[in-house]
Amino acid sequence: MAQELMIETGPAIGGLKERVAAYERRLIQEALWLAGGNQRRAAAALGCLPTTLNEKMRRLGLRGESDLLRPELHSEDTTLQDQTGSIWHTG
């Protein structure tokens, strides 16, 4: 008899791949919102290249301002620091 792994994280959203994609999508949306939609600043805050951010956005189906997500809508704290040393804290 196989055991099932039960993780209490809110509504079920699928397996590991789907959960990682959902978490990555949320982080990118929050970083873009905090950066006022500026992809270069959001990429710097996330610690990746703008080209990497653009590829992730394309893969996750994120396109425009309607995809920006206000950070205070989440209960989990998120801290982002861009290359200028500015720290963005949400939550």
Side-chain angles (χ1 to χ4, degrees):
M1 177 192 278
Q3 281 188 316
E4 290 187 33
L5 177 63
M6 300 294 289
I7 301 174
E8 304 264 340
T9 59
I13 57 171
L16 178 62
K17 186 175 181 178
E18 292 82 12
R19 290 177 187 208
V20 169
Y23 183 68
E24 192 172 45
R25 180 180 293 109
R26 190 177 89 210
L27 288 176
I28 290 171
Q29 289 173 313
E30 290 176 349
L32 285 167
W33 188 85
L34 289 167
N38 184 304
Q39 289 185 19
R40 286 189 182 275
R41 288 186 62 208
L46 291 168
C48 67
L49 295 172
T51 53
T52 302
L53 176 61
N54 192 279
E55 171 56 33
K56 287 181 181 292
M57 288 175 63
R58 185 172 28 253
R59 182 175 47 82
L60 295 168
L62 298 173
R63 293 198 173 90
E65 288 200 21
S66 63
D67 292 318
L68 303 183
L69 192 61
R70 291 183 57 155
E72 55 267 21
L73 296 177
H74 300 290
S75 60
E76 183 176 309
D77 284 350
T78 303
T79 302
L80 301 172
Q81 182 171 4
D82 65 19
Q83 292 174 337
T84 66
S86 298
I87 296 176
W88 304 339
H89 180 75
T90 68

